[in-house]
Amino acid sequence: MPPKRVLADANISGKEWATFRGFCLAFVGLFALFTVTWLWLYSPWDYGALVGLTFWGLLPCYVSNAGMVLTGRVKGLPRYPIDGGRVWRDGKRLLGEGKTWNGLVGGLLLGFFVAVVTYPFTAWVSDVARASFSDVNADGRPTMLKLFDLDLVLQFVSAGNDFHAFAGRAFLLALGAPLGDALGSFVKRRFSKKDGGQFLFLDQLDFVLFSALLTWPLMPLPWYAILFVCLFTPLLTVLANLIAYYSGKKPYPW
Ligand code: CTP
Ligand code: MG
């Protein structure tokens, strides 16, 4: 039996719930497999550093993504759809009712704000990560980690401990989330998906991949970092979205 409806506009079929459950289980399984393999080859320290750096580095983007949901529906505040109700050539909405200026601006500001506030801790995070990784490399174990260019990744995370570069990167990451999310909606409407309709992978990754693309000219991420982001982000967003869904902030849990 599908779980109860939380928001009035949510109308989720049993099939959609089943697909979503399968998707979540697949990602939990993949992530568990990755974790076990990593821990078998390396150590919990560099595993912690890997997850920590990914989360910390993309914090402006993740906060912005959650911020859109939080600021998109505020009781008593009118919602301003980005597409202004306009339709595309196919007669369908350009983006839909779910994409509002409220969410875009709210997400951008929250993501940027949180990044700036956490800047003072970034040097410490980098130091801890560096110590954790070098520890492993010194061990002389068979190392896939030679592939891992820690300097490149740390350059992304801490922007060379230069506040202006860090703030610029944070702004682009926080802006990339609503832009990528809106682009995802544009694609969904072209595929005739209703507002909030299920489009797995795109729903979970559009915002983070677009953020990475926006920052690319300044601070490119290596391909293996992107791959890890694609494994890690759906888990994080599904968790956040389930919380948002069950607390009535989001009409759909994906
Ligand atoms: N939201 C918003 N403005 C944005 C992005 C998101 O107000 N620019 C809010 C909306 O309340 C939206 C919720 O966040 O319903 C969840 O966003 P998301 O799941 O990405 O959008 P959907 O409404 O599900 O629509 P779509 O099918 O276009 O993804
Ligand atoms: Mg979306």
Side-chain angles (χ1 to χ4, degrees):
M1 203 183 70
K4 70 173 169 52
R5 279 162 64 162
V6 174
L7 279 184
D9 47 344
N11 197 357
I12 304 172
S13 70
K15 187 169 167 266
E16 279 179 314
W17 272 113
T19 316
F20 182 57
R21 247 192 305 266
F23 177 82
C24 295
L25 282 177
F27 265 91
V28 169
L30 270 177
F31 200 77
L33 192 70
F34 174 86
T35 302
V36 169
T37 312
W38 186 286
L39 293 180
W40 177 57
L41 284 173
Y42 311 114
S43 81
W45 304 112
D46 43 272
Y47 178 76
L50 180 77
V51 174
L53 280 179
T54 308
F55 183 72
W56 196 265
L58 293 171
L59 194 65
C61 165
Y62 291 145
V63 171
S64 178
N65 189 46
M68 288 189 269
V69 179
L70 290 177
T71 58
R73 275 169 209 267
V74 177
K75 259 207 189 92
L77 206 72
R79 285 157 57 84
Y80 301 96
I82 297 173
D83 65 8
R86 277 182 284 270
V87 293
W88 186 247
R89 289 179 228 135
D90 53 12
K92 308 245 158 52
R93 279 285 289 269
L94 207 61
L95 303 174
E97 281 300 306
K99 302 301 116 161
T100 63
W101 287 109
N102 313 40
L104 189 151
V105 174
L108 170 62
L109 291 181
L110 270 177
F112 183 66
F113 175 75
V114 167
V116 168
V117 167
T118 53
Y119 175 71
F121 305 99
T122 298
W124 177 79
V125 169
S126 302
D127 288 346
V128 171
R130 196 179 285 285
S132 314
F133 272 104
S134 54
D135 208 35
V136 175
N137 285 339
D139 230 351
R141 268 172 281 187
T143 186
M144 189 173 72
L145 291 177
K146 284 206 177 74
L147 194 85
F148 193 91
D149 187 344
L150 187 61
D151 286 326
L152 199 68
V153 173
L154 287 182
Q155 176 60 25
F156 183 90
V157 173
S158 61
N161 294 321
D162 168 4
F163 178 71
H164 289 107
F166 182 87
R169 184 208 60 130
F171 184 85
L172 289 178
L173 284 176
L175 176 67
L179 294 186
D181 183 54
L183 187 67
S185 290
F186 178 80
V187 172
K188 284 170 75 173
R189 298 298 91 79
R190 305 291 72 75
F191 277 90
S192 302
K193 293 270 175 197
K194 63 178 170 29
D195 280 7
Q198 201 177 59
F199 206 124
L200 299 176
F201 294 100
L202 187 72
D203 279 334
Q204 290 73 30
L205 291 170
D206 50 9
F207 75 98
V208 73
L209 290 180
F210 198 82
S211 281
L213 190 74
L214 264 195
T215 49
W216 193 272
L218 286 177
M219 293 164 199
L221 273 175
W223 64 267
Y224 44 84
I226 299 278
L227 213 61
F228 182 69
V229 165
C230 290
L231 185 67
F232 177 71
T233 305
L235 278 184
L236 198 68
T237 49
V238 159
L239 198 69
N241 287 344
L242 280 170
I243 294 172
Y245 174 74
Y246 283 108
S247 54
K249 288 299 283 179
K250 204 173 179 295
Y252 300 91
W254 37 80

